[in-house]
Amino acid sequence: MRLRSRNVGLFFVLLLAGGCGKGQIFSASTLDPLGLRWKFAGSPEPLTIGLCYENQGIFDIRTWGEQTPWALLCQDLEEHFQRPVKFENLSPFQLAFHLTDSKAIDLALVSAADYLLMTAESPVGQVLAVSKDRVRQGVIVAIADAGISSLADLKGQRFAFGPKDDRILHLATLAALKQGGVEVSDIKTLLPERLQHHLSSIEAAKQVVYVMGTDAGVVEADEFDAYAETGGRWFPLPVVFSKDQFVELGRTEKLMVETIGEGPFVAGDHLDAELKDQMRAFLMEAAKAHPEAIRAMGFARFEEAPADLEAAMRRLAEAAEAK
């Protein structure tokens, strides 16, 4: 029954995303495909954001399941601006037209290469920020008071992995453990030949620090590096982690997340200055205030637009082409 439900969800994603053509507005999630939430809120004017992507990496529709990559970002933007937010996938030339002439698109998130295509004939809108793609890495940790000081000490221990077959929180972690002398057969299992997997890095960290029985695991490096030095707590909610709760034992290889190439978040000239300022502030704080939404898009953060924007975009486009 669960498999059938997921297939129904994927069907509606395909239905909503089919064609990706002009005028095709995507729902943020199949959980609210008709935008009914806002029907009872006076139907405020939606904020429309254009995307330009191919079905690759995070934006491969086959991997979406029950929600799109931008679902969390859409929800956070709706909460912040108290108005519906819609995403639409268009070509660079369509985005340029709808940002300037038709004004059907309010904002656009594009790669540097696509931005150069958009602005080849004339300037388009105002750049509010520039995205930085995410590089994933796992940090292998142990709880600070367990007396574990090296990877070799993990033999015979239970270990909290991330999702099964996750390239960093499972597979790369196994490789790092093996390089440190710990075979998969050395890890204590919950059931015969059943390793301990968790839905996310956060859940793995909770298992290590706040649940008895598992003294080591792996967390995302960008999460771990953002922990404060002290102050971790279970209560009051939300759960907070700090570096002094852990001992870092090693790190996995790095992996560049395949997503939209680094590039600008553009606002149409028809948007008022106050809304532009609010959106810029949202983007600059998003990595800290909305980390799950940013990671779901494959980004590490947004940065201030450089002074020499065109030169910076050309460098980013050339670097992406060389990968």
Side-chain angles (χ1 to χ4, degrees):
M1 180 62 70
R2 180 177 297 175
L3 179 60
R4 180 175 297 177
S5 174
R6 287 182 60 84
N7 286 340
V8 171
L10 181 57
F11 169 78
F12 277 106
V13 171
L14 290 166
L15 178 63
L16 290 164
C20 301
K22 178 179 175 180
Q24 176 71 49
I25 299 296
F26 291 171
S27 168
S29 169
T30 58
L31 299 179
D32 185 22
L34 302 179
L36 296 178
R37 172 187 175 187
W38 297 103
K39 297 297 183 184
F40 305 99
S43 297
E45 190 70 20
L47 194 63
T48 306
I49 303 174
L51 295 172
C52 185
Y53 68 86
E54 297 179 357
N55 293 323
Q56 297 177 347
I58 280 178
F59 287 90
D60 184 342
I61 194 170
R62 295 170 297 180
T63 68
W64 289 359
E66 295 180 351
Q67 67 179 19
T68 63
W70 57 82
L72 295 178
L73 178 60
C74 182
Q75 292 169 15
D76 290 349
L77 286 168
E78 288 183 339
E79 290 297 324
H80 186 81
F81 289 99
Q82 285 300 295
R83 60 192 289 187
V85 175
K86 302 292 184 182
F87 283 78
E88 183 173 4
N89 186 26
L90 298 170
S91 73
F93 304 104
Q94 289 173 320
L95 286 175
F97 174 80
H98 290 302
L99 275 171
T100 56
D101 295 342
S102 77
K103 299 179 176 56
I105 299 293
D106 300 309
L107 302 131
L109 174 58
V110 294
S111 69
D114 287 332
Y115 178 75
L116 293 174
L117 290 175
M118 286 171 54
T119 58
E121 296 184 1
S122 60
V124 175
Q126 177 184 352
V127 174
L128 304 180
V130 176
S131 67
K132 301 300 292 182
D133 288 350
R134 187 182 179 205
V135 178
R136 293 185 64 199
Q137 186 178 32
V139 182
I140 299 173
V141 296
I143 191 169
D145 59 2
I148 298 173
S149 59
S150 69
L151 293 179
D153 294 335
L154 298 179
K155 291 183 177 181
Q157 299 282 346
R158 283 181 179 168
F159 190 95
F161 292 92
K164 181 174 172 55
D165 295 329
D166 184 277
R167 294 177 66 185
I168 291 296
L169 300 180
H170 179 205
L171 303 181
T173 300
L174 286 177
L177 290 172
K178 184 174 183 177
Q179 189 173 13
V182 181
E183 299 288 342
V184 65
S185 58
D186 296 325
I187 301 170
K188 188 176 181 180
T189 55
L190 292 176
L191 296 171
E193 299 184 6
R194 182 69 61 88
L195 296 174
Q196 186 178 170
H197 290 284
H198 297 273
L199 292 176
S200 68
S201 168
I202 294 173
E203 295 303 317
K206 287 179 185 177
Q207 185 71 29
V208 172
V209 176
Y210 297 119
V211 181
M212 293 182 63
T214 303
D215 291 336
V218 59
V219 297
E220 296 276 4
D222 51 6
E223 292 178 16
F224 182 83
D225 293 340
Y227 293 163
E229 293 299 324
T230 61
R233 67 173 191 271
W234 171 257
F235 190 82
L237 297 176
V239 173
V240 174
F241 303 104
S242 58
K243 288 190 175 73
D244 63 348
Q245 295 174 300
F246 301 90
V247 173
E248 181 178 337
L249 305 177
R251 298 201 174 206
T252 71
E253 65 177 359
K254 293 182 178 180
L255 173 70
M256 176 68 76
V257 176
E258 187 178 0
T259 184
I260 298 171
E262 295 178 345
F265 200 108
V266 186
D269 290 330
H270 60 281
L271 291 187
D272 63 69
E274 182 179 0
L275 194 150
K276 290 179 184 177
D277 289 342
Q278 291 174 354
M279 181 60 74
R280 182 186 293 106
F282 178 94
L283 295 173
M284 298 309 297
E285 291 296 320
K288 291 183 179 179
H290 309 281
E292 292 184 16
I294 297 303
R295 290 174 189 140
M297 292 285 286
F299 302 142
R301 62 191 178 279
F302 285 93
E303 296 182 346
E304 293 281 358
D308 191 345
L309 182 65
E310 183 174 352
M313 293 303 101
R314 292 195 181 282
R315 287 195 296 271
L316 284 177
E318 290 170 1
E321 182 67 24
K323 289 180 181 177

